């Protein structure tokens, strides 16, 4: 029996009444909704001098497909810390009528993650890990933050270890406090993953003395404590604290590129950014 995440999820979608395998038609509808959200975000940022770049698969899609990767069903963006803080301050004024923002250290609101999520009001979309959780649920754009890193390699090393551990604790708190049968069945596909799941829940129990919001707010402040430097990283990115370090001059100024029927921003040296994430130059991204 296959234990790949995709195969497990497809199998669970057939046996669970809370999971639904996304069809090509549904995915296209979702992409259209997300594109509309992204246009609103782009216009709001442009009018208020707030910089952003497309991140991860969204950046890859912009370069390789001039839009969404055909099977993609989300949009990710990155903001430098200074732009992110400005975005939080003006969000309610410029986008609050249509969207909700969930983020650490924002308006004393509870948050699930240590990064930002901009949700479209009036929509309903639940990620598997969010079942039973009390957080916002709807079509969303993930907003990750670029934070300055220390010039001292030893401090960078310990920052990476501490942030990795604290992020693991935050996720474990949610596994413990909001269990759901689908996640339990997913991890129960083999003994090793089930043991991992039980250890994570135990970790969540041990740290439940600290509220999830308090921990997320602390992580956000901890990873943003360094003075502005020439090198930044995305602590919550796919490659982790040390894996996503980028010189500022390779990010700024952002460059407009075609994306579906509009233009959106990518990193100034988007080739190097994609190589950092995917381990090869943009010329070879067609093989990914």
């Amino acid at each position: 029996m296959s234990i790949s995440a995709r195969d497990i999820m497809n199998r669970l979608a057939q046996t669970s009444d809370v999971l639904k395998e996304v069809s090509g038609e549904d995915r296209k509808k979702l992409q259209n909704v997300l594109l509309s959200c992204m246009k609103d975000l782009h216009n709001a940022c442009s009018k208020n001098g707030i910089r952003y770049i497309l991140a991860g698969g969204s950046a890859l899609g912009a370069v390789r497909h001039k839009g969404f990767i055909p099977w993609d069903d989300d949009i990710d963006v990155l903001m430098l810390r200074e732009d992110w803080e400005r975005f939080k301050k003006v969000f309610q004024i410029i986008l609050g009528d249509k969207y909700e923002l969930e983020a650490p250290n924002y308006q004393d609101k509870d948050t699930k993650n240590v990064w930002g999520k901009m949700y479209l009001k009036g929509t309903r979309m639940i990620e598997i890990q969010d079942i039973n959780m009390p957080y916002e649920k709807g079509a969303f754009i993930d907003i990750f933050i670029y934070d300055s890193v220390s010039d001292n390699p030893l401090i960078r090393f310990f920052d990476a270890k501490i942030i990795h551990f604290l992020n693991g604790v935050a996720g474990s708190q949610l596994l413990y406090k909001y269990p759901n049968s689908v996640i339990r069945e997913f991890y129960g596909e083999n003994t090793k993953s089930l043991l991992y799941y039980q250890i994570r829940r135990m970790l969540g129990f041990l740290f439940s003395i600290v509220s999830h919001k308090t921990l997320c707010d602390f992580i956000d402040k901890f990873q943003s404590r360094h003075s502005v430097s020439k090198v930044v990283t995305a602590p919550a990115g796919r490659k982790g604290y040390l894996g996503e370090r980028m010189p500022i001059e390779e990010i700024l100024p952002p460059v407009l590129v075609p994306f579906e029927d509009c233009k959106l921003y990518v990193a100034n040296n988007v080739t190097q950014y994609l190589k950092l994430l995917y381990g090869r130059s943009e010329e070879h991204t067609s093989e990914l």
Side-chain angles (χ1 to χ4, degrees):
M1 180 177 289
S2 170
I3 59 170
S4 75
R6 181 182 295 275
D7 287 345
I8 292 171
M9 287 304 168
N10 287 340
R11 187 159 61 250
L12 292 178
Q14 297 171 5
T15 59
S16 170
D17 59 359
V18 295
L19 283 182
K20 178 180 182 295
E21 189 173 356
V22 179
S23 67
E25 182 180 353
D26 288 340
R27 182 177 292 108
K28 186 60 180 177
K29 290 178 181 177
L30 176 57
Q31 288 177 348
N32 289 337
V33 170
L34 294 176
L35 181 61
S36 177
C37 296
M38 192 61 223
K39 289 177 180 178
D40 288 342
L41 177 64
H42 170 83
N43 291 334
C45 288
S46 297
K47 291 177 181 178
N48 289 274
I50 297 171
R51 298 164 298 187
Y52 76 86
I53 61 170
L54 292 175
S58 300
L60 178 60
V63 172
R64 194 171 71 177
H65 300 279
K66 298 189 184 330
F68 288 99
I69 297 174
W71 54 88
D72 210 359
D73 57 7
D74 66 354
I75 290 183
D76 298 329
V77 303
L78 273 161
M79 290 183 186
L80 294 171
R81 174 62 65 168
E82 60 190 275
D83 294 291
W84 169 240
E85 294 300 331
R86 190 180 310 124
F87 181 77
K88 287 194 296 182
K89 287 180 180 178
V90 301
F91 175 83
Q92 199 58 39
I93 298 172
I94 61 178
L95 289 167
D97 289 344
K98 192 173 179 180
Y99 298 93
E100 291 284 351
L101 182 64
E102 182 184 282
N105 294 303
Y106 176 68
Q107 292 188 346
D108 293 324
K109 291 183 178 180
D110 199 0
T111 182
K112 182 184 73 173
N113 303 300
V114 294
W115 63 90
K117 279 181 175 283
M118 188 182 86
Y119 292 92
L120 177 62
K121 293 178 179 179
T123 59
R124 184 76 171 169
M125 185 177 74
I126 304 175
E127 297 179 281
I128 179 175
Q129 65 270 22
D130 291 351
I131 298 171
N132 297 337
M133 292 189 188
Y135 304 104
E136 296 286 347
K137 297 178 176 71
F140 63 87
I141 292 175
D142 276 322
I143 307 175
F144 298 98
I145 303 101
Y146 266 138
D147 279 311
S148 295
V149 300
S150 172
D151 294 330
N152 186 314
L154 188 60
I155 294 177
R156 288 201 302 269
F157 173 80
F158 281 107
D159 280 350
K161 294 297 183 182
I162 291 169
I163 290 171
H164 178 74
F165 174 73
L166 292 178
N167 282 338
V169 170
S172 298
Q173 284 181 324
L174 298 178
L175 282 177
Y176 167 71
K177 189 173 182 180
Y178 305 109
N180 73 70
S181 59
V182 178
I183 287 288
R184 171 62 176 77
E185 189 172 350
F186 174 82
Y187 281 109
E189 287 281 327
N190 65 78
T191 303
K192 185 176 180 180
S193 63
L194 180 59
L195 178 61
Y196 171 79
Y197 172 73
Q198 298 293 3
I199 292 173
R200 288 287 303 273
R201 292 202 70 220
M202 178 61 69
L203 186 65
F205 166 74
L206 292 175
F207 281 88
S208 60
I209 190 172
V210 179
S211 77
H212 185 67
K213 171 179 168 48
T214 298
L215 181 57
C216 287
D217 288 349
F218 173 79
I219 295 171
D220 181 62
K221 290 179 179 177
F222 179 80
Q223 63 196 24
S224 64
R225 75 190 191 283
H226 296 299
S227 301
V228 175
S229 67
K230 295 181 180 180
V231 179
V232 294
T233 190
R238 59 184 292 151
K239 300 293 285 291
Y241 189 87
L242 295 178
E244 292 216 15
R245 286 179 295 159
M246 286 280 290
I248 284 285
E249 65 266 22
E250 293 187 350
I251 300 169
L252 301 178
V255 179
L256 277 175
V257 298
F259 193 96
E260 301 296 340
D261 62 352
C262 64
K263 287 189 175 183
L264 302 174
Y265 284 106
V266 296
N268 186 274
N269 190 347
V270 68
T271 297
Q272 182 59 30
Y273 171 75
L274 292 175
K275 185 177 180 180
L276 178 70
L277 261 62
Y278 299 107
R280 62 193 75 189
S281 63
E282 185 276 320
E283 302 94 86
H284 299 110
T285 54
S286 60
E287 302 172 12
L288 293 175

